[in-house]
Amino acid sequence: MPTIEPRKLPRQQRSKATVQAILDACAEGLQSRGYHGLTTHAIAMRAGASVGTLYQYFPNRDAVAGALVVRSMERLLETMRGALAECVERGLAGQAATEHLLLSALHVLVEERPVFSRLGAEAPHLFRLPAAVAAASQLIHMSQEIRLTSGNQLDLPMPEADAWIIGHMVSASMMQISLLEGPEEERRKLTREVARLTCRMALSRVSESSASVAAAAA
Amino acid sequence: MPTIEPRKLPRQQRSKATVQAILDACAEGLQSRGYHGLTTHAIAMRAGASVGTLYQYFPNRDAVAGALVVRSMERLLETMRGALAECVERGLAGQAATEHLLLSALHVLVEERPVFSRLGAEAPHLFRLPAAVAAASQLIHMSQEIRLTSGNQLDLPMPEADAWIIGHMVSASMMQISLLEGPEEERRKLTREVARLTCRMALSRVSESSASVAAAAA
Amino acid sequence: MPTIEPRKLPRQQRSKATVQAILDACAEGLQSRGYHGLTTHAIAMRAGASVGTLYQYFPNRDAVAGALVVRSMERLLETMRGALAECVERGLAGQAATEHLLLSALHVLVEERPVFSRLGAEAPHLFRLPAAVAAASQLIHMSQEIRLTSGNQLDLPMPEADAWIIGHMVSASMMQISLLEGPEEERRKLTREVARLTCRMALSRVSESSASVAAAAA
Amino acid sequence: MPTIEPRKLPRQQRSKATVQAILDACAEGLQSRGYHGLTTHAIAMRAGASVGTLYQYFPNRDAVAGALVVRSMERLLETMRGALAECVERGLAGQAATEHLLLSALHVLVEERPVFSRLGAEAPHLFRLPAAVAAASQLIHMSQEIRLTSGNQLDLPMPEADAWIIGHMVSASMMQISLLEGPEEERRKLTREVARLTCRMALSRVSESSASVAAAAA
DNA sequence: GATGAATGAGCATTCATTCAT
DNA sequence: CATGAATGAATGCTCATTCAT
């Protein structure tokens, strides 16, 4: 079980830039060749450095990708914090809030596309790194806070299952949408739809009695 | 771009068995070591053959995995066809039909878990093979046929987007559910929830006018 | 702790030859470049094979050297067994027997020079492999048997220490002698001297009483 | 063949301390990781310096180890000179002198253990550096001087061979003893035995005629 | 003088693929 | 048809050495 902890911290200005360049290069390489097809030489070269330099800051390839995951998760977290603050500030709620939050998330997902889609699929273990898990759990805390804040009605008969399903449905949709290559406008539209449908799913329970009648009729 | 077409068709009975054994071995190996960690030697050995034999039927490793994908897709297609026939036969509709269809799909997804989850993530290009695409498009045809058959009211303002989103949401959920390791009952329950929520999403548009008022108010 | 066990047994005639060629090449390479300077590529090439072939039979570099050590130890054991039998057969004893045994050992030491000197110094852990240890302990058994057979008088006041010292002195001398590059006659002469001195050391205790007086006086 | 000569002489006080610290660090590292496992970075760090500093005084890694060897050889030489003086001063001779000399040598061997055992095995070429050879030959001169001084009777039929063999036997024994990890008392005891046996070997020639009779009888 | 960032040749090892038997 | 021996390009990683600051 090889460690993945950063090998040494860059002290000088020059080396800090190098480390960031390596992470950027890793993300770019991920996009075009996937994680398995991505060599440490390729990463270093794209970062304008040599392999040796890469290995001075990271003990192995996984450590590079792991650091990238953490950086992306933290960016997502930071963004969501900001978005939540804006919701509160602007008094957004319900579908409007959902939409704002989803669009904010989408923005990061798009920017960090290779990290979330490629690494999520090819190296899911990197998302179980302590730092990544920490960021994820803070995100979850946030989403609970959102519910309380917006005082919504999500107390359902089978709440965990629903939450689990809806959560996965939404995140899967967002992931798929983030993969669209077209113009941003397209993604924005789809995100709005997801927000709308999500709210429907969540709220549908309220009118359970009447709805079930319609469903049975269908 | 090396070809992936099967090298030669097994004519004799024995050869057919060998090819099937290789595909089975590939699926098993996929489960335990992933596609990247799966070597042609390992596949051949597990199939009780030698590498040479494997290469007599497949031009390269991707061809083996590709053939496996196609086999799994066809199994899924076959199953869904059967399930649809049963819906018609038993006069199922609406949520009941959705549920039956999803449960049928789930059965295959679970059985072919390594193919859909491992290969879907590590080698998505294999799902773009003509034969796999063909099976997939037939599945989509079927789902349209289902709508018609069940005479549902899915003609929405932005129908493709909705269908796209709902389709992805559902398939993502099903994929996740298929990965659950617990007792089947658990998977069955979650699938029912997905079916219910799916129907809600689909039907929600009907009451669009009134709902949009509420949404706007929120 | 990487394993060192042979990876697969050569079944066909061709591969058996390959494995022997690899061991021979390893020994030769050891001679000229030492263990640290010896690369697997160099071994394979010198053996007329490719790296891949080497790794088909040995899991890593240490395994190659380890197998070589075992082969050499077994050759030494085999030779010593034969030499002992000859001593008995020809009724040799005392210095004559010692000389014959040492000369026999020397012959193997010279032939397997790189193994015993280079590996003994640079990779002593290889001599702690089970198979090597087994051969070594059989050698020790033999040397005890020799004492009994020749009925010599080595029951000394501090026998283990003496045996330990004399053993090391002798083996060190033999090792050094085996490294001499000159004509064999030279080595033979020196070996005779070692035999003579060894017997002196061993026998000196006999006249202990008188000697110790002198020693105490010094 | 890269030079090994020290790059520049440390003139200032501070520099001298740095160089000594580097040699000490090298010796310590040798002890724990062997020469092959010892990196220039590790040496520098343990010496509280940076690689750059190390390379300011030594042109390459071998030069560091070489300087260490020379320092140790000189320490050995110095010690032996002192011990010899003491023998003369105290009027020691025969086994008593031998014992004193061996114990003095042992003391240095133990203190410089990593140099003599690790480097002796892994990098014997360092002992062929001019400065190291010079120290060694002075040691040999000394041992001849000892013979003369102690007026012993070592003018044998094949004197070089005997000296060579006995010398190697003794030094090999001392090397082994120096490696013992136990209490010093143990080492002292064994050294005494070596001294005794050595004297026996050396003196045995005297009683050649009578001894050979006994040997033939055995 | 001292520092540590950067370099890149070099090594062990893997594995898809070929082909003689 | 089947076998498994042989191949070698490719990859992750190390570490002695250089040099700008």
Side-chain angles (χ1 to χ4, degrees):
Chain A
M1 201 182 315
T3 187
I4 272 196
E5 291 306 298
R7 189 165 257 177
K8 84 179 180 194
L9 298 179
R11 315 205 169 188
Q12 304 181 0
Q13 193 55 38
R14 177 168 50 143
S15 51
K16 261 179 202 157
T18 301
V19 166
Q20 290 307 313
I22 287 173
L23 294 187
D24 291 339
C26 181
E28 289 165 32
L30 235 28
Q31 177 88 305
S32 50
R33 324 198 69 79
Y35 187 50
H36 290 321
L38 187 60
T39 74
T40 50
H41 266 95
I43 296 174
M45 198 182 315
R46 203 192 282 258
S50 67
V51 229
T53 300
L54 185 156
Y55 277 97
Q56 225 156 31
Y57 299 104
F58 301 96
N60 49 51
R61 194 175 62 129
D62 262 21
V64 180
L68 182 60
V69 165
V70 170
R71 190 178 79 170
S72 295
M73 286 297 288
E74 282 170 353
R75 283 181 180 175
L76 178 59
L77 182 59
E78 210 50 49
T79 298
M80 296 310 281
R81 261 204 255 273
L84 184 56
E86 279 168 21
C87 284
V88 172
E89 202 175 295
R90 296 201 227 147
L92 295 181
Q95 183 169 334
T98 306
E99 219 175 291
H100 183 61
L101 290 167
L102 288 184
L103 280 172
S104 302
L106 183 63
H107 193 243
V108 179
L109 289 179
V110 167
E111 289 225 306
E112 313 283 315
R113 211 179 314 191
V115 179
F116 290 106
S117 68
R118 292 292 207 161
L119 287 183
E122 289 185 60
H125 63 277
L126 297 177
F127 286 80
R128 278 170 232 131
L129 290 175
V133 168
S137 72
Q138 282 187 274
L139 271 172
I140 290 172
H141 270 162
M142 258 185 54
S143 84
Q144 290 180 337
E145 196 179 343
I146 293 172
R147 291 197 206 173
L148 295 177
T149 300
S150 62
N152 76 358
Q153 302 110 323
L154 276 173
D155 63 329
L156 310 167
M158 197 207 266
E160 290 101 19
D162 266 7
W164 190 84
I165 291 173
I166 293 176
H168 272 298
M169 281 180 152
V170 172
S171 75
S173 308
M174 296 306 288
M175 205 68 99
Q176 298 281 355
I177 290 172
S178 80
L179 292 176
L180 285 182
E181 293 296 341
E184 196 188 331
E185 182 49 32
E186 186 68 14
R187 285 199 291 269
R188 197 180 293 274
K189 250 192 235 166
L190 286 169
T191 306
R192 242 177 245 126
E193 289 302 303
V194 171
R196 183 173 53 76
L197 288 168
T198 306
C199 290
R200 290 279 146 72
M201 276 198 281
L203 291 169
S204 64
R205 279 288 190 173
V206 186
S207 48
E208 176 86 354
S209 42
S210 56
S212 63
V213 175
Chain B
M1 199 180 311
T3 185
I4 271 195
E5 289 308 297
R7 188 163 261 176
K8 70 182 174 195
L9 296 178
R11 320 221 159 188
Q12 303 182 2
Q13 195 54 38
R14 180 167 51 141
S15 318
K16 266 182 198 158
T18 300
V19 166
Q20 290 306 313
I22 288 173
L23 295 188
D24 291 339
C26 182
E28 289 166 31
L30 235 30
Q31 177 87 304
S32 48
R33 322 198 72 78
Y35 187 50
H36 183 242
L38 188 59
T39 73
T40 50
H41 266 96
I43 297 173
M45 197 183 313
R46 204 192 280 260
S50 66
V51 232
T53 303
L54 185 155
Y55 276 92
Q56 211 122 42
Y57 295 107
F58 301 95
N60 51 49
R61 191 174 68 130
D62 264 19
V64 179
L68 181 60
V69 165
V70 170
R71 189 179 80 171
S72 295
M73 287 297 287
E74 283 170 352
R75 284 182 181 176
L76 178 60
L77 182 59
E78 209 52 49
T79 298
M80 295 311 281
R81 264 204 252 275
L84 183 57
E86 277 169 24
C87 283
V88 172
E89 202 175 294
R90 297 201 226 148
L92 294 180
Q95 183 169 335
T98 306
E99 220 175 288
H100 183 61
L101 290 167
L102 287 185
L103 280 170
S104 303
L106 181 64
H107 194 243
V108 180
L109 288 180
V110 167
E111 289 227 307
E112 312 283 314
R113 213 180 307 194
V115 179
F116 290 107
S117 68
R118 294 291 206 159
L119 287 182
E122 290 187 57
H125 63 278
L126 296 177
F127 287 79
R128 279 170 230 129
L129 288 175
V133 168
S137 72
Q138 283 187 273
L139 270 172
I140 291 172
H141 271 164
M142 257 185 54
S143 83
Q144 291 180 335
E145 196 180 341
I146 292 172
R147 292 196 205 174
L148 296 176
T149 300
S150 61
N152 76 356
Q153 303 112 321
L154 277 173
D155 63 328
L156 310 166
M158 197 207 267
E160 290 98 20
D162 266 7
W164 190 86
I165 289 173
I166 293 177
H168 272 298
M169 282 181 152
V170 171
S171 74
S173 307
M174 295 309 288
M175 207 63 102
Q176 297 283 353
I177 290 172
S178 80
L179 292 176
L180 287 181
E181 292 295 344
E184 198 189 330
E185 182 49 32
E186 186 69 13
R187 286 195 291 269
R188 199 181 290 274
K189 250 194 235 166
L190 287 168
T191 305
R192 247 177 240 125
E193 289 302 302
V194 171
R196 182 174 52 77
L197 290 166
T198 306
C199 291
R200 290 279 146 73
M201 277 199 283
L203 291 170
S204 64
R205 278 289 189 172
V206 185
S207 47
E208 175 83 356
S209 44
S210 57
S212 62
V213 174
Chain C
M1 198 182 313
T3 188
I4 271 195
E5 291 306 298
R7 190 165 259 176
K8 85 179 180 194
L9 298 178
R11 315 206 168 187
Q12 303 181 3
Q13 193 55 39
R14 176 168 50 142
S15 50
K16 261 180 202 155
T18 301
V19 166
Q20 289 308 313
I22 288 172
L23 294 187
D24 291 339
C26 181
E28 289 166 32
L30 235 29
Q31 177 89 306
S32 49
R33 324 198 69 80
Y35 187 49
H36 290 322
L38 187 59
T39 74
T40 50
H41 265 94
I43 297 174
M45 200 182 314
R46 203 191 281 260
S50 66
V51 229
T53 301
L54 185 156
Y55 277 96
Q56 225 155 31
Y57 298 104
F58 302 96
N60 48 50
R61 194 175 63 129
D62 262 22
V64 179
L68 182 60
V69 165
V70 170
R71 190 179 77 171
S72 295
M73 287 297 288
E74 282 170 353
R75 283 182 180 175
L76 178 59
L77 183 59
E78 210 51 50
T79 298
M80 295 312 281
R81 261 203 256 273
L84 183 57
E86 278 169 23
C87 284
V88 173
E89 202 174 295
R90 297 200 227 147
L92 296 180
Q95 184 170 333
T98 307
E99 219 175 290
H100 182 60
L101 290 167
L102 288 184
L103 280 171
S104 303
L106 183 63
H107 193 244
V108 180
L109 288 180
V110 167
E111 289 226 306
E112 313 283 314
R113 211 179 314 190
V115 179
F116 290 107
S117 68
R118 293 293 207 158
L119 287 183
E122 291 186 59
H125 64 278
L126 297 178
F127 286 79
R128 279 170 230 130
L129 289 177
V133 168
S137 73
Q138 282 186 273
L139 270 172
I140 290 172
H141 270 163
M142 258 184 54
S143 84
Q144 290 181 335
E145 196 180 342
I146 293 172
R147 292 196 204 175
L148 296 177
T149 300
S150 62
N152 78 357
Q153 303 111 321
L154 275 173
D155 63 327
L156 312 166
M158 197 208 267
E160 291 101 18
D162 267 6
W164 190 83
I165 291 172
I166 294 177
H168 272 299
M169 282 181 152
V170 173
S171 75
S173 307
M174 296 306 290
M175 206 66 101
Q176 297 282 355
I177 291 172
S178 78
L179 291 176
L180 286 182
E181 292 297 341
E184 196 187 332
E185 184 48 34
E186 186 67 17
R187 285 198 291 268
R188 198 181 293 273
K189 251 194 234 165
L190 287 168
T191 306
R192 247 179 241 124
E193 289 301 302
V194 171
R196 183 173 52 76
L197 290 167
T198 306
C199 290
R200 291 279 146 74
M201 277 198 283
L203 290 170
S204 64
R205 280 287 189 173
V206 183
S207 47
E208 176 82 358
S209 41
S210 57
S212 61
V213 175
Chain D
M1 201 179 311
T3 187
I4 271 195
E5 290 308 296
R7 188 162 264 176
K8 71 182 173 193
L9 298 179
R11 319 220 159 188
Q12 304 181 1
Q13 194 55 39
R14 181 167 51 141
S15 315
K16 265 182 199 158
T18 301
V19 166
Q20 290 305 314
I22 287 173
L23 295 187
D24 291 339
C26 182
E28 290 165 32
L30 235 28
Q31 176 89 304
S32 49
R33 324 198 71 79
Y35 187 50
H36 184 241
L38 187 60
T39 72
T40 49
H41 266 96
I43 297 173
M45 198 183 315
R46 205 192 280 259
S50 67
V51 232
T53 303
L54 186 155
Y55 276 93
Q56 210 125 43
Y57 295 107
F58 301 95
N60 51 48
R61 190 174 68 130
D62 263 20
V64 179
L68 181 60
V69 165
V70 170
R71 189 179 78 171
S72 296
M73 286 298 287
E74 283 170 352
R75 283 181 181 175
L76 178 59
L77 183 58
E78 209 53 48
T79 297
M80 296 311 281
R81 262 205 254 272
L84 184 56
E86 278 170 22
C87 284
V88 172
E89 202 176 294
R90 297 202 227 148
L92 295 181
Q95 185 170 333
T98 307
E99 220 176 289
H100 183 61
L101 290 167
L102 288 185
L103 280 171
S104 302
L106 183 63
H107 193 244
V108 180
L109 288 180
V110 167
E111 288 226 307
E112 312 282 314
R113 211 180 312 193
V115 179
F116 290 107
S117 68
R118 295 292 207 156
L119 287 183
E122 290 186 56
H125 63 277
L126 296 178
F127 287 79
R128 279 170 231 129
L129 288 176
V133 168
S137 72
Q138 283 187 271
L139 269 172
I140 290 172
H141 271 163
M142 256 185 54
S143 83
Q144 290 180 336
E145 197 180 341
I146 293 173
R147 292 196 206 175
L148 297 176
T149 300
S150 61
N152 77 358
Q153 304 111 321
L154 276 174
D155 64 328
L156 310 167
M158 196 208 268
E160 293 100 18
D162 266 6
W164 190 86
I165 290 172
I166 293 177
H168 271 299
M169 281 182 152
V170 172
S171 75
S173 308
M174 296 307 287
M175 205 65 101
Q176 295 283 353
I177 290 172
S178 79
L179 291 177
L180 285 183
E181 292 297 341
E184 197 187 332
E185 184 48 34
E186 187 67 16
R187 285 198 290 267
R188 198 179 292 272
K189 249 192 237 165
L190 287 168
T191 306
R192 243 177 245 127
E193 290 301 303
V194 171
R196 184 174 51 77
L197 290 167
T198 305
C199 290
R200 290 277 147 73
M201 275 198 285
L203 292 170
S204 64
R205 279 288 189 172
V206 186
S207 48
E208 176 84 356
S209 42
S210 57
S212 62
V213 175

